[in-house]
Structures are given as structure tokens and as C-alpha cells.
Amino acid sequence: MGSYVIRTPDIGEGIAEVELVAWHVQPGDAVKEDQVLADVMTDKATVEIPSPVNGTVTGLMGTPGSMLAVGSELVWLEVDGAGNVRDAGGPGRAVAHAPALAMPAAQATAAVQGAPHPLPHPAPGSAGPTTVPPAAASAPSRADVAPQPPPGEHVPPRAQRPPVEAPVAMRGPGDKPLASPAVRRHARELGIELQYVHGSGPAGRIEHRDLEVYLAARGQAATAQAAQDADAAADAVERVPLSPLRRRIAQKMQEAKRRIPHFAYVEEVDVTELEALRAQLNARHAAARGKLTLLPLVARAVVRALREFPQMNARFDDEAGVVSRHAAVHLGIATQTGAGLMVPVVRNAQALDLWAFAAAVAQLAEAARAGKVTREQLSGSTLTLTSLGPLGGLVTTPVINHPEVAIVGVNRIVERPMLRGGQLAARLLMNLSSSFDHRVVDGMEAAGFIQAVRAQLESPALLFVD
């Protein structure tokens, strides 16, 4: 028997680390070749990590949410044969062998980062990693640690504020309260422990009036406690941790805003004729080809405008100082999913007709919302199109999908009066809100590009004339 180490794979596109999303196996599980062991996430997509061999899991390195460097240890297996781990003295011997779930926190972090830690190496020829229990001396006692609520749950109000208590009698633990049989019977009927009632009679004897005083004090305490609980409930705070995808989106947006000097350009477009054309196309072809939304028509206008402005269909490597202009248009379509925003890519959009483009967008959006979109389907876009549909508002300032240099945003259509030929007429108007990388795109170029898009949308016959 030997040990086999599966390492975090190089997923490409210059990715140096990934986030561990979920384990699909546990130590002791028998796994088959090609069985999925874990899910990891890049800033593009969630990727499944399969097992290249048959074996038994003996160690899992890291917990969900951990950042793993490319090439670091991910899973230890016990396999038939020699495995792929050399002896402890060899140059390829790994340094982290214990499952992270069984490590103290500091050692688990060191294992994920590939740094040495004081866990013992398995002896040559042994079954592989072993579980090292945390030292009892270093673990805090239960009395020293306040219980913490799990993420996403409300903190109980009583855990935050001390209760208000009724007055307690100054009586020793062995002292028996003095009271007449009638007072004791009355106390039992009221559910009062005489031990906690202050006696005002001779030698501390408890009288009937003392029971009334105690009840009044206890009622005030209960009222005060109820008021405190109501205040705490009104001020309750829910802690909701970010999902792995949400954290990746946050990092991506932060990087885009930090690196790219955005400038926005907004233009109003009269889409009355375009909407009339769309209605006619749907009336004639919807049954056989599917119903068209506005998006394929806008995409076609954008693709055709890129012939005149190829500098918009580009990716900018700001570290190398190189702009890569692409002949093919790989159009990213910003898609909202339950887990967050994704940008699947319609490849070679310039070669697709309206219905083929619509079908490609629908397929990608469905895969993204179902969590089945692949890394390839989320990579390599050269320009992004974003739309919030009926919620699009009048103006937006979209964030560029780094390393692209432009993004075109579609806002909602509104009907407003306009003067045409001196006559007042109702027209359908829509704003295009776009952002550009000012390091690469000048204002005049951006304006020219959007005006070219506008011209085709306002005269939709141009969409079909080469």
C-alpha cells in the first residue's frame, strides 16, 4: 500500500489560488477513478476536482472557504502500489499530512498554504496521513468560551442583556424562613418559595403583606425583563456570511474599479421602429423559431458597430501594457443568478443570426442559474452587454468586466412625447449606459461607437444591410 497526493490543479488564465467550496468525500471513504472529490472556485466558475485513481481517503487539506494555492496538497489517498509520495528524505516529500478538519486552526492554515508545521510525517510505507487530536492543555475550557451562534442566525436577546431579578432575602443557605402555617399555605397557593421572601415581622417572620410585596416586586422585574427583551428584539442583528461566489464577485468588482479608470457615456435612443420590427418578427416566426427579446437586436447592432470601432472589442493587459484587439466578437452577457452575477460568453456572436443568438443566450443563462455553467463558458469575453430588463431604470453606470475595455448597458423602454417634424408624437425611448476604460478608449471614440449603435437601432433596416 502507498500514499497518493492529489494537488490543487492549475486551472489556467494565470490563476494562482482557488477557494475550496465543498467536499464530496470524507476520510475513510473509498473513491473510484474520476469520482468528484471536491468543488473549488475561481473568479470565473466552480470547478469539480476528480480523483485520478482508485483509493481510500485518508486526509482532506482545508475546510470550505479556505484559499488554496495552485499546486498545494488537496487530498491524501491510500492506494495499491507505491503511490506518488517519495520517502520523507526525498525532495518531493510533502510537508502537510494531517487532515485539516482534525488540525488546530493555525496548523490547518499552514497546511493549506504549504508551510511546514509541527505535525509528524507518516513513516515510509505507512498508510499515509494520520489524525492528530488537538492538545487538551491548549484548548480552552467550556467555561472560558462564550457560545457563539452559527452564521446566519439571530443572537438570542437574553444572551446579550442580564435579566432583571426580584429582590432576594438576606437569609443564609441553612436558615429556615419563619412563617405561620397560614402564610405557608398562602405562599404555596401563590407558587412562592419562602426562602426568597424578606420577612418584616419579629425576628424576620414572614407576614401576608410580605408575600404581596414580593409578588409586586417580581411583577415589576418581569415587566422590566419583557421591556428589555422587546428592545433587544427590535435591535436584533442577523449575520449573513458571503457565499464563496459572492466573495469572488466582490473581489472582481473591487479589482475592476481599482485598476480601471471608468468613464461613462449615456445616449438616448428612439426604439419605436425597432420595437415595431420585433413585434412583426415575433408574429411571423415565434412559433417556429422562438420569441425574440430586445437583447438580440441590441447585440446585433453592437457587433456591427465594432466593425468600425474594433478598439472596443479588446482586452487590456495593464501589467504588460498590451491591448489585444480581437477579430471575433465573444460577447459576454451579464446574467443574474440566485448565487450572484455571472457573465457567460456567446462565442463568435458576429456569425449568429437573431434567433441563434437568442438560443445561445437562453442556453447559457439556464446553465448559469442551474449552477452547471463551465469555466470555458465563462471565460474569454471581449466585450460585455448588460441589461436589467424592465428594472433597468433610466441610467446605470455598469462596471467593466476586467480585462475588457468597454461594457454596454441597456436601460428600460419608456413612452414619452417627442417633437418630430414639428408635430408632437408618442415615442418609445431607451437609454444606452456604457462605461469605457479611459486608458485605452478616448471620449471621442466612445461617443462615435455608441452613435454607430444608436444609428442602427433607430433605423433597424441597417441591421440587415452589409
Side-chain angles (χ1 to χ4, degrees):
M1 305 294 288
S3 295
Y4 192 99
V5 177
I6 300 172
R7 298 181 179 274
T8 307
D10 184 357
I11 299 176
E13 293 199 2
I15 295 173
E17 62 179 6
V18 298
E19 181 173 352
L20 178 59
V21 176
W23 290 112
H24 295 294
V25 294
Q26 294 297 325
D29 290 353
V31 298
K32 300 291 186 181
E33 184 177 354
D34 295 329
Q35 179 178 337
V36 176
L37 304 177
D39 292 339
V40 299
M41 177 178 291
T42 71
D43 57 357
K44 297 291 185 182
T46 300
V47 179
E48 296 178 340
I49 306 298
S51 173
V53 296
N54 298 332
T56 301
V57 178
T58 56
L60 303 178
M61 308 306 294
T63 58
S66 303
M67 300 304 298
L68 306 177
V70 170
S72 63
E73 296 176 5
L74 184 65
V75 180
W76 275 77
L77 299 176
E78 181 184 79
V79 297
D80 293 333
N84 66 348
V85 178
R86 292 193 288 271
D87 291 340
R93 187 64 169 176
V95 295
H97 296 286
L101 297 180
M103 297 180 188
Q107 294 176 345
T109 302
V112 169
Q113 297 176 347
H117 55 77
L119 295 179
H121 298 292
S126 67
T130 57
T131 299
V132 180
S138 62
S141 66
R142 291 181 179 271
D144 296 333
V145 181
Q148 298 296 322
E153 293 191 7
H154 291 282
V155 178
R158 290 181 182 267
Q160 301 177 358
R161 307 192 181 198
V164 179
E165 298 179 354
V168 179
M170 299 300 293
R171 185 176 293 113
D175 296 340
K176 183 178 180 180
L178 299 178
S180 66
V183 170
R184 292 183 183 277
R185 183 173 60 252
H186 191 194
R188 286 194 298 270
E189 292 172 353
L190 296 175
I192 296 175
E193 289 284 346
L194 291 180
Q195 184 70 27
Y196 302 107
V197 179
H198 175 73
S200 61
R205 180 179 293 274
I206 300 173
E207 307 289 349
H208 285 284
R209 64 176 179 269
D210 296 328
L211 300 181
E212 297 173 359
V213 171
Y214 179 82
L215 284 177
R218 190 169 64 176
Q220 292 174 359
T223 301
Q225 183 64 54
Q228 286 188 355
D229 290 350
D231 291 343
D235 193 31
V237 177
E238 184 180 7
R239 298 174 60 84
V240 181
L242 293 180
S243 66
L245 178 59
R246 188 74 257 170
R247 287 198 298 272
R248 282 294 180 181
I249 293 173
Q251 294 169 3
K252 187 76 171 178
M253 294 298 101
Q254 182 179 5
E255 180 182 17
K257 293 296 287 185
R258 179 178 62 83
R259 288 192 171 204
I260 302 174
H262 286 62
F263 80 94
Y265 185 88
V266 181
E267 182 57 277
E268 185 179 68
V269 181
D270 186 342
V271 294
T272 306
E273 304 301 330
L274 186 71
E275 280 293 276
L277 172 63
R278 187 170 71 89
Q280 293 176 16
L281 292 174
N282 283 334
R284 178 171 297 186
H285 300 292
R289 302 184 184 181
K291 188 176 181 180
L292 287 176
T293 65
L294 183 67
L295 192 61
L297 294 163
V298 175
R300 187 174 182 88
V302 168
V303 167
R304 292 174 67 87
L306 289 174
R307 298 177 182 178
E308 185 180 354
F309 296 91
Q311 63 269 36
M312 307 298 171
N313 190 45
R315 294 163 68 92
F316 180 36
D317 185 343
D318 47 3
E319 295 182 355
V322 176
V323 178
S324 301
R325 295 182 179 178
H326 293 255
V329 181
H330 304 312
L331 200 58
I333 306 296
T335 304
Q336 188 64 42
T337 72
L341 185 68
M342 296 185 181
V343 186
V345 182
V346 178
R347 301 193 181 278
N348 295 299
Q350 79 284 352
L352 303 178
D353 63 20
L354 296 175
W355 289 274
F357 182 88
V361 170
Q363 180 182 8
L364 289 170
E366 181 180 358
R369 294 185 179 113
K372 297 180 179 179
V373 67
T374 65
R375 180 176 59 87
E376 289 73 17
Q377 292 174 321
L378 293 170
S379 304
S381 56
T382 56
L383 187 144
T384 293
L385 188 61
T386 180
S387 171
L388 290 176
L391 302 177
L394 295 178
V395 175
T396 54
T397 53
V399 178
I400 297 172
N401 186 21
H402 179 270
E404 299 167 22
V405 302
I407 183 171
V408 178
V410 179
N411 298 113
R412 74 168 182 261
I413 297 174
V414 296
E415 187 176 30
R416 291 205 300 267
M418 287 189 64
L419 284 174
R420 290 176 59 86
Q423 300 294 320
L424 193 64
R427 307 293 291 181
L428 297 176
L429 302 176
M430 177 190 75
N431 288 339
L432 290 179
S433 298
S434 305
S435 297
F436 300 89
D437 186 340
H438 217 335
R439 300 171 299 176
V440 179
V441 180
D442 294 332
M444 185 66 70
E445 294 174 329
F449 171 63
I450 295 302
Q451 291 302 327
V453 175
R454 175 190 177 188
Q456 301 206 48
L457 294 177
E458 292 189 337
S459 300
L462 297 177
L463 295 173
F464 307 95
V465 178
D466 289 328

